[in-house]
Amino acid sequence: MKILIDNGHGVETPGKRSPDGRFREYAYNRLIARAIVEHLQCRGYDASLVVPEDEDISLEERCRRINRIAIRHGHEPNDTFVVSIHVNAAGSGAMWHNATGWCAYTFPGHTESDKLATCLYKAAQKHLPGHRLRTDYSDGDPDLEKPFYILKHTYCAAVLTENGFMDCEVSLKFLESEEGKKAIVALHVEGIIDYVNSFHQ
Ligand SMILES: [Zn+2]
């Protein structure tokens, strides 16, 4: 089973930072994505980064990379899947807001990706105690649904996580803390392993 971890944006992407400029989403996404891949590899899983570079690799190219691997490894749910790591923003980045919370997105409709997202939500509940989880149970599962490019144009199961808000001071403080980084990495590692194990039961 091939596990792909994608990190959004790049060093030159405009915006995508905290209002005071100290937090850059591309850097944080990479830090978290690299740690997730390392942890999974250490535990014997076949995980790799979609974007090892620091620059912004276009969504088209990221999907091409993912689909090339999905074709090679197979794109059945137990062959290949991808998790794309992001940090949310409530506004354009010019002002601070009060939005908080963790969430995961899948492509609209019932898909295999919903199962992967549910595993991530379960792990988030455990690793982010006291934090808000943004959910939508109207279709029977917790994930939010949106046709993001990376969810729409990949052949394999795909989930995009938004790990707190970069334009909320409370959320940012947690994101930048050692405790916060550890929790976000751990929830992805555990959710992913839970999903992989679901095929061996
Ligand atoms: Zn993003």
mmCIF file of all heavy atoms in Angstrom, residues 102 104 106 111-125 133 137 139-143 159 191-192 194-195:
data_model
loop_
_atom_site.group_PDB
_atom_site.id
_atom_site.type_symbol
_atom_site.label_atom_id
_atom_site.label_comp_id
_atom_site.label_asym_id
_atom_site.label_seq_id
_atom_site.Cartn_x
_atom_site.Cartn_y
_atom_site.Cartn_z
ATOM 1 N N TRP A 102 -10.192 21.979 13.651
ATOM 2 C CA TRP A 102 -9.531 21.053 12.719
ATOM 3 C C TRP A 102 -10.595 20.445 11.825
ATOM 4 O O TRP A 102 -11.719 20.188 12.283
ATOM 5 C CB TRP A 102 -8.829 19.954 13.529
ATOM 6 C CG TRP A 102 -8.083 18.963 12.687
ATOM 7 C CD1 TRP A 102 -6.757 19.016 12.356
ATOM 8 C CD2 TRP A 102 -8.611 17.785 12.063
ATOM 9 N NE1 TRP A 102 -6.432 17.942 11.560
ATOM 10 C CE2 TRP A 102 -7.554 17.167 11.365
ATOM 11 C CE3 TRP A 102 -9.873 17.193 12.015
ATOM 12 C CZ2 TRP A 102 -7.710 15.981 10.640
ATOM 13 C CZ3 TRP A 102 -10.038 16.019 11.283
ATOM 14 C CH2 TRP A 102 -8.959 15.422 10.611
ATOM 15 N N ALA A 104 -11.281 17.877 7.957
ATOM 16 C CA ALA A 104 -10.783 17.155 6.784
ATOM 17 C C ALA A 104 -11.842 17.218 5.703
ATOM 18 O O ALA A 104 -13.040 17.111 5.988
ATOM 19 C CB ALA A 104 -10.474 15.712 7.145
ATOM 20 N N THR A 106 -13.269 15.843 1.842
ATOM 21 C CA THR A 106 -13.244 14.842 0.775
ATOM 22 C C THR A 106 -14.054 15.383 -0.389
ATOM 23 O O THR A 106 -14.808 16.357 -0.235
ATOM 24 C CB THR A 106 -13.881 13.510 1.221
ATOM 25 O OG1 THR A 106 -15.261 13.742 1.537
ATOM 26 C CG2 THR A 106 -13.171 12.927 2.442
ATOM 27 N N THR A 111 -17.572 8.217 -1.116
ATOM 28 C CA THR A 111 -16.390 7.652 -1.766
ATOM 29 C C THR A 111 -15.542 6.931 -0.724
ATOM 30 O O THR A 111 -15.779 7.053 0.477
ATOM 31 C CB THR A 111 -15.513 8.759 -2.404
ATOM 32 O OG1 THR A 111 -15.061 9.622 -1.353
ATOM 33 C CG2 THR A 111 -16.268 9.556 -3.438
ATOM 34 N N GLU A 112 -14.543 6.207 -1.209
ATOM 35 C CA GLU A 112 -13.610 5.524 -0.326
ATOM 36 C C GLU A 112 -12.884 6.543 0.570
ATOM 37 O O GLU A 112 -12.521 6.241 1.710
ATOM 38 C CB GLU A 112 -12.600 4.741 -1.176
ATOM 39 C CG GLU A 112 -11.593 3.941 -0.400
ATOM 40 C CD GLU A 112 -12.210 2.852 0.476
ATOM 41 O OE1 GLU A 112 -13.290 2.320 0.133
ATOM 42 O OE2 GLU A 112 -11.596 2.542 1.514
ATOM 43 N N SER A 113 -12.707 7.740 0.054
ATOM 44 C CA SER A 113 -11.995 8.777 0.806
ATOM 45 C C SER A 113 -12.710 9.084 2.124
ATOM 46 O O SER A 113 -12.069 9.501 3.095
ATOM 47 C CB SER A 113 -11.900 10.052 -0.030
ATOM 48 O OG SER A 113 -11.381 9.765 -1.304
ATOM 49 N N ASP A 114 -14.041 8.902 2.161
ATOM 50 C CA ASP A 114 -14.795 9.158 3.397
ATOM 51 C C ASP A 114 -14.289 8.286 4.545
ATOM 52 O O ASP A 114 -14.222 8.730 5.689
ATOM 53 C CB ASP A 114 -16.296 8.883 3.190
ATOM 54 C CG ASP A 114 -16.922 9.827 2.182
ATOM 55 O OD1 ASP A 114 -16.293 10.838 1.843
ATOM 56 O OD2 ASP A 114 -18.046 9.546 1.729
ATOM 57 N N LYS A 115 -13.927 7.023 4.224
ATOM 58 C CA LYS A 115 -13.442 6.097 5.260
ATOM 59 C C LYS A 115 -12.112 6.574 5.814
ATOM 60 O O LYS A 115 -11.877 6.521 7.016
ATOM 61 C CB LYS A 115 -13.258 4.698 4.656
ATOM 62 C CG LYS A 115 -14.461 3.811 4.815
ATOM 63 C CD LYS A 115 -14.091 2.374 4.466
ATOM 64 C CE LYS A 115 -14.876 1.919 3.251
ATOM 65 N NZ LYS A 115 -14.336 0.723 2.622
ATOM 66 N N LEU A 116 -11.254 7.029 4.907
ATOM 67 C CA LEU A 116 -9.942 7.558 5.315
ATOM 68 C C LEU A 116 -10.143 8.794 6.197
ATOM 69 O O LEU A 116 -9.516 8.938 7.248
ATOM 70 C CB LEU A 116 -9.129 7.889 4.056
ATOM 71 C CG LEU A 116 -7.805 8.634 4.215
ATOM 72 C CD1 LEU A 116 -6.857 7.914 5.168
ATOM 73 C CD2 LEU A 116 -7.136 8.813 2.837
ATOM 74 N N ALA A 117 -11.060 9.674 5.793
ATOM 75 C CA ALA A 117 -11.324 10.888 6.572
ATOM 76 C C ALA A 117 -11.868 10.538 7.956
ATOM 77 O O ALA A 117 -11.494 11.160 8.958
ATOM 78 C CB ALA A 117 -12.308 11.786 5.823
ATOM 79 N N THR A 118 -12.740 9.539 8.022
ATOM 80 C CA THR A 118 -13.307 9.136 9.319
ATOM 81 C C THR A 118 -12.210 8.629 10.254
ATOM 82 O O THR A 118 -12.219 8.940 11.453
ATOM 83 C CB THR A 118 -14.413 8.071 9.111
ATOM 84 O OG1 THR A 118 -15.440 8.659 8.305
ATOM 85 C CG2 THR A 118 -15.017 7.611 10.428
ATOM 86 N N CYS A 119 -11.247 7.876 9.705
ATOM 87 C CA CYS A 119 -10.100 7.412 10.523
ATOM 88 C C CYS A 119 -9.314 8.614 11.043
ATOM 89 O O CYS A 119 -8.877 8.634 12.208
ATOM 90 C CB CYS A 119 -9.172 6.521 9.699
ATOM 91 S SG CYS A 119 -9.898 4.933 9.248
ATOM 92 N N LEU A 120 -9.151 9.626 10.207
ATOM 93 C CA LEU A 120 -8.401 10.824 10.630
ATOM 94 C C LEU A 120 -9.181 11.598 11.698
ATOM 95 O O LEU A 120 -8.594 12.106 12.661
ATOM 96 C CB LEU A 120 -8.090 11.707 9.420
ATOM 97 C CG LEU A 120 -7.038 11.135 8.453
ATOM 98 C CD1 LEU A 120 -7.063 11.861 7.116
ATOM 99 C CD2 LEU A 120 -5.632 11.202 9.056
ATOM 100 N N TYR A 121 -10.490 11.688 11.544
ATOM 101 C CA TYR A 121 -11.317 12.370 12.562
ATOM 102 C C TYR A 121 -11.224 11.653 13.909
ATOM 103 O O TYR A 121 -11.144 12.289 14.954
ATOM 104 C CB TYR A 121 -12.781 12.456 12.114
ATOM 105 C CG TYR A 121 -13.107 13.736 11.381
ATOM 106 C CD1 TYR A 121 -13.087 13.791 10.003
ATOM 107 C CD2 TYR A 121 -13.422 14.903 12.083
ATOM 108 C CE1 TYR A 121 -13.368 14.970 9.322
ATOM 109 C CE2 TYR A 121 -13.709 16.080 11.413
ATOM 110 C CZ TYR A 121 -13.679 16.107 10.033
ATOM 111 O OH TYR A 121 -13.953 17.283 9.374
ATOM 112 N N LYS A 122 -11.252 10.316 13.850
ATOM 113 C CA LYS A 122 -11.171 9.543 15.103
ATOM 114 C C LYS A 122 -9.859 9.847 15.812
ATOM 115 O O LYS A 122 -9.822 10.056 17.027
ATOM 116 C CB LYS A 122 -11.259 8.041 14.795
ATOM 117 C CG LYS A 122 -12.550 7.413 15.266
ATOM 118 C CD LYS A 122 -12.438 5.904 15.253
ATOM 119 C CE LYS A 122 -12.986 5.335 13.952
ATOM 120 N NZ LYS A 122 -12.596 3.967 13.660
ATOM 121 N N ALA A 123 -8.784 9.890 15.039
ATOM 122 C CA ALA A 123 -7.466 10.169 15.610
ATOM 123 C C ALA A 123 -7.376 11.626 16.083
ATOM 124 O O ALA A 123 -6.754 11.925 17.103
ATOM 125 C CB ALA A 123 -6.379 9.866 14.587
ATOM 126 N N ALA A 124 -8.047 12.531 15.368
ATOM 127 C CA ALA A 124 -8.031 13.945 15.757
ATOM 128 C C ALA A 124 -8.737 14.139 17.104
ATOM 129 O O ALA A 124 -8.299 14.905 17.959
ATOM 130 C CB ALA A 124 -8.687 14.798 14.680
ATOM 131 N N GLN A 125 -9.826 13.399 17.263
ATOM 132 C CA GLN A 125 -10.587 13.480 18.515
ATOM 133 C C GLN A 125 -9.692 13.092 19.699
ATOM 134 O O GLN A 125 -9.743 13.704 20.757
ATOM 135 C CB GLN A 125 -11.757 12.511 18.432
ATOM 136 C CG GLN A 125 -12.914 12.882 19.288
ATOM 137 C CD GLN A 125 -14.181 12.187 18.795
ATOM 138 O OE1 GLN A 125 -14.120 11.148 18.148
ATOM 139 N NE2 GLN A 125 -15.322 12.766 19.105
ATOM 140 N N LEU A 133 -13.583 20.259 16.517
ATOM 141 C CA LEU A 133 -13.499 19.557 15.235
ATOM 142 C C LEU A 133 -14.655 20.064 14.391
ATOM 143 O O LEU A 133 -15.803 20.048 14.832
ATOM 144 C CB LEU A 133 -13.596 18.038 15.410
ATOM 145 C CG LEU A 133 -12.517 17.345 16.249
ATOM 146 C CD1 LEU A 133 -12.680 15.836 16.171
ATOM 147 C CD2 LEU A 133 -11.113 17.739 15.813
ATOM 148 N N TYR A 137 -22.247 16.005 9.717
ATOM 149 C CA TYR A 137 -22.769 14.641 9.819
ATOM 150 C C TYR A 137 -24.015 14.415 8.957
ATOM 151 O O TYR A 137 -24.646 13.374 9.063
ATOM 152 C CB TYR A 137 -23.083 14.299 11.278
ATOM 153 C CG TYR A 137 -21.858 13.873 12.061
ATOM 154 C CD1 TYR A 137 -21.197 14.743 12.899
ATOM 155 C CD2 TYR A 137 -21.370 12.563 11.940
ATOM 156 C CE1 TYR A 137 -20.067 14.346 13.611
ATOM 157 C CE2 TYR A 137 -20.245 12.151 12.651
ATOM 158 C CZ TYR A 137 -19.606 13.049 13.480
ATOM 159 O OH TYR A 137 -18.503 12.641 14.167
ATOM 160 N N ASP A 139 -24.458 13.603 5.998
ATOM 161 C CA ASP A 139 -24.412 12.416 5.130
ATOM 162 C C ASP A 139 -23.914 11.180 5.890
ATOM 163 O O ASP A 139 -23.509 10.191 5.279
ATOM 164 C CB ASP A 139 -23.540 12.672 3.897
ATOM 165 C CG ASP A 139 -22.088 12.951 4.265
ATOM 166 O OD1 ASP A 139 -21.813 13.201 5.458
ATOM 167 O OD2 ASP A 139 -21.226 12.895 3.369
ATOM 168 N N GLY A 140 -23.924 11.273 7.235
ATOM 169 C CA GLY A 140 -23.604 10.097 8.035
ATOM 170 C C GLY A 140 -22.144 9.937 8.411
ATOM 171 O O GLY A 140 -21.777 8.991 9.092
ATOM 172 N N ASP A 141 -21.271 10.858 7.946
ATOM 173 C CA ASP A 141 -19.875 10.802 8.381
ATOM 174 C C ASP A 141 -19.385 12.213 8.702
ATOM 175 O O ASP A 141 -20.013 13.196 8.308
ATOM 176 C CB ASP A 141 -18.995 10.087 7.339
ATOM 177 C CG ASP A 141 -19.047 10.767 5.984
ATOM 178 O OD1 ASP A 141 -19.080 11.999 5.928
ATOM 179 O OD2 ASP A 141 -19.049 10.053 4.971
ATOM 180 N N PRO A 142 -18.262 12.311 9.442
ATOM 181 C CA PRO A 142 -17.890 13.634 9.960
ATOM 182 C C PRO A 142 -17.244 14.591 8.958
ATOM 183 O O PRO A 142 -17.212 15.798 9.193
ATOM 184 C CB PRO A 142 -16.880 13.297 11.075
ATOM 185 C CG PRO A 142 -16.311 11.963 10.718
ATOM 186 C CD PRO A 142 -17.408 11.231 10.000
ATOM 187 N N ASP A 143 -16.721 14.093 7.827
ATOM 188 C CA ASP A 143 -15.915 14.980 6.978
ATOM 189 C C ASP A 143 -16.725 16.074 6.294
ATOM 190 O O ASP A 143 -17.920 15.960 6.097
ATOM 191 C CB ASP A 143 -15.131 14.169 5.929
ATOM 192 C CG ASP A 143 -16.053 13.420 4.977
ATOM 193 O OD1 ASP A 143 -16.767 14.072 4.206
ATOM 194 O OD2 ASP A 143 -16.054 12.176 5.033
ATOM 195 N N VAL A 159 -7.720 12.833 0.774
ATOM 196 C CA VAL A 159 -8.289 13.670 1.834
ATOM 197 C C VAL A 159 -7.391 14.882 2.015
ATOM 198 O O VAL A 159 -6.166 14.782 1.930
ATOM 199 C CB VAL A 159 -8.406 12.877 3.166
ATOM 200 C CG1 VAL A 159 -8.814 13.789 4.317
ATOM 201 C CG2 VAL A 159 -9.406 11.733 3.022
ATOM 202 N N GLY A 191 -4.287 8.015 12.251
ATOM 203 C CA GLY A 191 -5.450 7.891 11.362
ATOM 204 C C GLY A 191 -5.113 7.086 10.115
ATOM 205 O O GLY A 191 -5.900 6.252 9.662
ATOM 206 N N ILE A 192 -3.932 7.338 9.567
ATOM 207 C CA ILE A 192 -3.498 6.630 8.354
ATOM 208 C C ILE A 192 -3.285 5.145 8.655
ATOM 209 O O ILE A 192 -3.739 4.277 7.900
ATOM 210 C CB ILE A 192 -2.211 7.295 7.790
ATOM 211 C CG1 ILE A 192 -2.583 8.625 7.109
ATOM 212 C CG2 ILE A 192 -1.484 6.365 6.827
ATOM 213 C CD1 ILE A 192 -1.406 9.511 6.754
ATOM 214 N N ASP A 194 -4.627 3.400 11.020
ATOM 215 C CA ASP A 194 -5.960 2.838 11.273
ATOM 216 C C ASP A 194 -6.651 2.488 9.944
ATOM 217 O O ASP A 194 -7.250 1.427 9.792
ATOM 218 C CB ASP A 194 -6.767 3.875 12.068
ATOM 219 C CG ASP A 194 -8.093 3.317 12.547
ATOM 220 O OD1 ASP A 194 -8.178 2.097 12.733
ATOM 221 O OD2 ASP A 194 -9.045 4.113 12.720
ATOM 222 N N TYR A 195 -6.525 3.401 8.966
ATOM 223 C CA TYR A 195 -7.121 3.161 7.643
ATOM 224 C C TYR A 195 -6.453 1.959 6.962
ATOM 225 O O TYR A 195 -7.140 1.076 6.437
ATOM 226 C CB TYR A 195 -6.988 4.413 6.776
ATOM 227 C CG TYR A 195 -7.525 4.242 5.378
ATOM 228 C CD1 TYR A 195 -8.894 4.131 5.145
ATOM 229 C CD2 TYR A 195 -6.659 4.196 4.281
ATOM 230 C CE1 TYR A 195 -9.389 3.967 3.856
ATOM 231 C CE2 TYR A 195 -7.141 4.048 2.990
ATOM 232 C CZ TYR A 195 -8.507 3.937 2.794
ATOM 233 O OH TYR A 195 -8.997 3.776 1.511
#
